[in-house]
Amino acid sequence: MSCGASSSRPQIGASGGGWKRPRAMKHQPQRDGEPSPSPPPQRRPRGFASAPAPAAGGSPRRRGEREREREKERTKMRERHRRAITSRMLAGLRQHGNFPLPARADMNDVLAALARGAGWTVQPDGTTFRSSNQPLLPPPPPQLHGVFQVASVETPALLNTLSSYAIGTPLDSQASALQTDDSLSPSSLDSVVADRSIKTENYMNSSSISSLNCMDNDQQLMRSSVVFPGDYTKTPYIPVYASLPMGIINSHCQLVDPESVRAELRHLKSLNVDGVVVDCWWGIVEAWTPRKYEWSGYRDLFGIIKEFKLKVQACLYWLISVFLQTSIKVVLSFHGSGETGSGDVLISLPKWIMEIAKENQDIFFTDREGRRNTECLSWGIDKERVLRGRTGIEVYFDFMRSFHMEFRNLSEEGLVSSIEIGLGASGELRYPSCPETMGWKYPGIGEFQCYDRYMQKSLRQSALSRGHLFWARGPDNAGYYNSRPHETGFFCDGGDYDSYYGRFFLNWYSGVLMDHVDQVLSLASLAFDGAEIVVKVPSIYWWYRTASHAAELTAGFYNPTNRDGYSPVFRMLKKHSVILKLVCYGPEFTFQENDEAFADPEGLTWQVMNAAWDHGLSLCIESALPCQNGEMYSQILDTAKPRNDPDRHHAAFFAYRQQPPFLLQREVCFSELCTFVKCMHGEAPQNGEG
């Protein structure tokens, strides 16, 4: 056989002699001593074919899968309980142990802080040793804050408690520890937490914010005996302002009862508060006709305040809120208001705005189901001429300029010290993602408010610029107002919020908020000619201990655990040199309710305050103080004057937003408030004072 013109590589034949063309391999019997050939790799099927075929009988395999899923859920539950306990421990160390822990501290930070507190040196790489020239210090004695003895006491008893808080007198208290270990099952952990919740439920209920409706002087209340450590004498002076309730100006911009206002101001001045807060509403001032502003009621009110030589802190919302004080601080409000605590005050947006809405409802924020929120105007119309020839931004600017022209004399006399601008729902910097009018209840995650046609137009343009037009939509798996994060595909652990589309959408959603704020504040600086401007930031603390921070995302703050959502906002606010007002809510809900919502008010407050101070922003605090809640007073003092802060940060002022009726009709609050004001002013109240 000749070597033909074969292009294939020659192969020696099995029988020897000559060359043979290679042939396809056939299965041959295995010879002794030779390894068995491995089967060729199988390509994984795609599509529906990739689904595993059901096993014969099926039930054992399905039972095993279900058991594995249950074990995963139990593991997640144990981890969540451990995280909750760790979070409370860190909050206690920050608040009561004087440990400067970072906002997202881990156990290494805790160990390092404890070691430094005991006199050891901890280097950045973790090397720890005791300095030779420094003796070993014993650990500081534990602060007893965990347990409250509930007792029936008379109202003046809180005065003595706050007095001891101001002068550093210790009080006796009993502490109980919540001990857990890794061997506990989720059910046993639930029982431990539930047991602690039962012990504290009476306390939390008694200190609910509903206690604003104070009782008579002779009525006894179930209240807690709380330890207030620290001496606040000779600490920085923090001004305290109290709001006047809504309803003193009616819908026709008339002062309803001047004598009651004078009596209220007289009582407030006796408390040594530094000023009062008055809400000025866009829906009252420009109620009937565009560009026709009626300020007569507020002019009369400011005149009365001037009689008492009080300065005004003005707060302007797109509903308008004005803070009047020894230095008048005005709040301009560009949103509507529901009923107040008295249930008889309803302030809507201007009537001419509601007329426009009959033909174009897209001027309001809209949820996925197409429901309109009439509390404030959509930010999508900031640059759209849909308001009788004006854009949303132009309407806000005209209103601010009208206020400045009307009360310019107060500014020139130094009575108007600062102006607060309302930038969203309830005057806060946020989307109206949790409206009670839509059925929202705590601790629902809320819904995205981006479905009016103007916001959808902005989303479409943003998606087109990214080259992904199919991203021009809102999430379809983000749940409803009262959903929980784990019930949704968007907010659950590992959910779509962290996908490519989710990051794009959330960046756009929070970017619209920042653009709105930037434009309004730029015009506010022009309208008020260098006046001090205040911006209110909400406290959305429920679901803060989850990965997605769902409630913050729907409100416009892109702040999951892997991203700082407040620093970009504060960087922009710093450009306008504003004062940041943080809304601190009281313990409105029981320990068990907050635990089920993975809430962390202290952790959120710590993050916001540190981010604000890192960007050089001044910070003030606003809260509604329950009259009989000593723990709430303590929390406000600790927040306003952080202990052991090496940079000596403290709040610029504190605003007490009271609810109706007038404070003078609630004499039971006076002694507590008087002592609280003295603590804020750095003075030591005397027992029996107030």
Side-chain angles (χ1 to χ4, degrees), residues 535-547:
V535 172
K536 185 190 297 186
V537 175
S539 180
I540 306 174
Y541 53 80
W542 52 101
W543 308 115
Y544 186 82
R545 299 201 313 267
T546 60

Side-chain angles (χ1 to χ4, degrees), residues 410-632:
L410 297 181
S411 300
E412 294 174 350
E413 295 172 8
L415 295 177
V416 176
S417 65
S418 64
I419 300 173
E420 180 181 324
I421 307 295
L423 293 170
S426 301
E428 300 171 352
L429 175 54
R430 64 178 177 88
Y431 286 88
S433 56
C434 299
E436 295 183 3
T437 55
M438 301 292 184
W440 174 85
K441 294 181 180 178
Y442 178 87
I445 60 176
E447 290 192 25
F448 292 112
Q449 305 290 315
C450 60
Y451 293 94
D452 61 84
R453 74 166 180 256
Y454 303 106
M455 293 283 283
Q456 286 292 298
K457 175 184 175 182
S458 172
L459 177 58
R460 191 178 304 108
Q461 292 173 345
S462 183
L464 187 61
S465 66
R466 280 288 301 271
H468 303 295
L469 189 57
F470 57 92
W471 281 354
R473 56 179 176 83
D476 55 6
N477 59 348
Y480 303 95
Y481 286 111
N482 293 314
S483 297
R484 304 317 193 236
H486 62 274
E487 299 171 349
T488 72
F490 193 82
F491 298 115
C492 65
D493 291 350
D496 290 344
Y497 78 93
D498 204 26
S499 65
Y500 286 111
Y501 160 73
R503 292 194 290 270
F504 158 78
F505 174 79
L506 293 172
N507 270 305
W508 167 81
Y509 191 72
S510 60
V512 172
L513 178 146
M514 293 180 61
D515 289 343
H516 170 76
V517 175
D518 192 18
Q519 295 178 71
V520 173
L521 292 181
S522 296
L523 294 179
S525 300
L526 293 175
F528 298 119
D529 193 20
E532 200 171 67
I533 296 177
V534 180
V535 172
K536 185 190 297 186
V537 175
S539 180
I540 306 174
Y541 53 80
W542 52 101
W543 308 115
Y544 186 82
R545 299 201 313 267
T546 60
S548 62
H549 291 213
E552 290 173 272
L553 296 185
T554 58
F557 290 94
Y558 189 7
N559 189 52
T561 53
N562 58 354
R563 188 180 189 275
D564 183 1
Y566 291 95
S567 286
V569 179
F570 294 167
R571 193 178 305 115
M572 182 269 298
L573 294 178
K574 176 61 178 177
K575 181 179 70 174
H576 298 285
S577 301
V578 304
I579 294 179
L580 190 71
K581 176 181 284 188
L582 176 61
V583 180
C584 293
Y585 296 105
E588 303 179 54
F589 308 100
T590 66
F591 174 86
Q592 185 174 3
E593 287 174 325
N594 278 334
D595 193 58
E596 291 173 353
F598 293 93
D600 190 2
E602 296 85 359
L604 175 63
T605 300
W606 185 263
Q607 180 186 358
V608 171
M609 293 177 66
N610 279 276
W613 286 330
D614 286 346
H615 287 85
L617 288 171
S618 297
L619 185 76
C620 59
I621 299 172
E622 176 182 298
S623 182
L625 292 177
C627 296
Q628 304 301 323
N629 188 359
E631 177 69 9
M632 186 62 185

Side-chain angles (χ1 to χ4, degrees), residues 14-84:
S15 59
W19 303 91
K20 294 185 180 180
R21 187 183 303 274
R23 292 176 298 178
M25 294 291 295
K26 295 184 179 179
H27 177 71
Q28 296 181 357
Q30 180 182 351
R31 297 180 182 180
D32 295 339
E34 290 185 2
S36 58
S38 59
Q42 298 293 326
R43 181 172 297 177
R44 182 177 179 181
R46 297 182 179 180
F48 290 104
S50 63
S59 56
R61 182 173 181 178
R62 285 196 295 270
R63 283 198 298 269
E65 291 178 351
R66 287 196 297 268
E67 183 60 30
R68 283 193 294 272
E69 290 298 324
R70 283 196 293 267
E71 181 59 30
K72 288 181 180 178
E73 292 300 322
R74 287 194 290 267
T75 302
K76 288 182 180 179
M77 185 63 67
R78 284 193 293 267
E79 183 62 25
R80 286 171 180 169
H81 278 295
R82 280 194 287 268
R83 288 180 181 178

